[in-house]
Amino acid sequence: MSNIEHNNNEALADIFKALSNPYRLEIFNRLSSCNVSTDDSSSEHQICECVGSLGKDLDIAHSTVSHHLKELKRAGLIRMVRNGKRTECQVNEATLAMIRAYFQPCCCGKQ
Amino acid sequence: MSNIEHNNNEALADIFKALSNPYRLEIFNRLSSCNVSTDDSSSEHQICECVGSLGKDLDIAHSTVSHHLKELKRAGLIRMVRNGKRTECQVNEATLAMIRAYFQPCCCGKQ
DNA sequence: TTCAATATTCGACATGTTTCGAATATTACA
DNA sequence: TGTAATATTCGAAACATGTCGAATATTGAA
């Protein structure tokens, strides 16, 4: 490990920070599980839920959910698009791929 | 995503928190890259460096390195074993496997 | 235009994290 | 035993984060 250059340390640490809060991780999980399969394999995670539904039953204030989503966005883990009264969120596949690459065992020679 | 039950949310968030500090992530990187290949594939990451060498050139106090290692250990990312004057550290493969599982695309049917 | 639904921003507060240097602990060896 | 090497714990300070409710913003529809 790993396939990733270590000079994105800061960016990676930032991504992990975004996932380090249980509520944020739960929100990310919800977003991850509402993926829609399409023919276009490059966009596994399709549109999703809005800020309100993502925070449902989480027992934190709406403004806090909004804040957490902003953090996930800042780290590059999700995208947010305003659509009418709602803001739709989706997982950013590119970032997910980067994380997976980081955790893959090094393939260059020895394990 | 993902293959992991969402009720280890807390444990996972804790793991990500441990990796969310740039110095800690760098220490973990160093530990990850000093793996030794053996016949026993279950222990990819072998013994490693001690607290002192892991913190080399990091420009933080020795006590801070010690603290960061304790955090990595607390999250289950590394193991620490006292060996004489030194404390040897190694990556905990089981936790690494758990993280990889979390980030794998869901294998049940559709992508 | 006014209202309701949804989302974001703001200020404040409590709590948690990072960091240091000093003090203490552990160990091997002269 | 005493000393040097290495590591850990402690207390304090600075800084960052999570949270809330109120205020504000944005939008669609009556």
Side-chain angles (χ1 to χ4, degrees), chain A residues 13-32:
Chain A
D14 218 51
I15 287 168
F16 294 135
K17 186 164 75 182
L19 295 174
S20 75
N21 175 281
Y23 289 121
R24 268 195 313 261
L25 186 56
E26 173 61 25
I27 289 169
F28 185 72
N29 284 339
R30 292 181 178 188
L31 221 28
S32 297

Side-chain angles (χ1 to χ4, degrees), chain B residues 54 103 109:
Chain B
L54 278 170
F103 283 113

Side-chain angles (χ1 to χ4, degrees), chain A residues 1-2 6 8-10 12-14 16-23 25-30 32-33 35-37 44-45 77 96 99-100 102-106 110-111, chain B residues 1-2 6 8-10 12-14 16-23 25-30 32-33 35-37 44-45 77 96 99-100 102-106 110-111:
Chain A
M1 212 172 80
S2 85
H6 285 173
N8 359 23
N9 231 27
E10 302 278 334
L12 262 173
D14 218 51
F16 294 135
K17 186 164 75 182
L19 295 174
S20 75
N21 175 281
Y23 289 121
L25 186 56
E26 173 61 25
I27 289 169
F28 185 72
N29 284 339
R30 292 181 178 188
S32 297
S33 58
N35 50 331
V36 174
S37 104
E44 171 185 334
H45 288 108
L77 280 160
L96 216 36
I99 300 172
R100 285 182 187 130
Y102 173 74
F103 282 112
Q104 277 332 291
C106 183
K110 315 187 169 260
Q111 284 291 301
Chain B
M1 206 173 83
S2 85
H6 285 172
N8 354 24
N9 230 27
E10 304 277 334
L12 261 172
D14 216 51
F16 293 136
K17 185 163 76 182
L19 296 174
S20 75
N21 176 282
Y23 288 120
L25 186 56
E26 173 60 26
I27 289 169
F28 184 72
N29 285 339
R30 291 181 179 187
S32 297
S33 59
N35 51 330
V36 174
S37 107
E44 171 184 333
H45 287 108
L77 280 159
L96 216 36
I99 301 173
R100 285 185 187 128
Y102 174 74
F103 283 113
Q104 276 333 291
C106 183
K110 315 190 171 258
Q111 283 291 301

Side-chain angles (χ1 to χ4, degrees), chain B residues 80-99:
Chain B
M80 301 176 75
V81 180
R82 186 91 191 205
N83 185 358
K85 274 184 288 196
R86 318 202 166 193
T87 299
E88 288 167 340
C89 307
Q90 72 184 131
V91 167
N92 184 347
E93 280 300 314
T95 303
L96 216 36
M98 177 173 151
I99 301 173

Side-chain angles (χ1 to χ4, degrees), chain B residues 50-82:
Chain B
C50 61
V51 177
S53 63
L54 278 170
K56 202 152 174 276
D57 302 326
L58 234 44
D59 283 332
I60 49 178
H62 192 92
S63 58
T64 305
V65 174
S66 195
H67 162 73
H68 283 324
L69 283 165
K70 208 167 77 173
E71 286 299 298
L72 289 171
K73 182 188 174 199
R74 201 184 48 75
L77 280 159
I78 66 170
R79 296 210 195 81
M80 301 176 75
V81 180
R82 186 91 191 205

Side-chain angles (χ1 to χ4, degrees), chain B residues 28-48:
Chain B
F28 184 72
N29 285 339
R30 291 181 179 187
L31 221 28
S32 297
S33 59
C34 66
N35 51 330
V36 174
S37 107
T38 62
D39 293 343
D40 178 4
S41 66
S42 71
S43 58
E44 171 184 333
H45 287 108
Q46 289 294 68
I47 273 322
C48 241

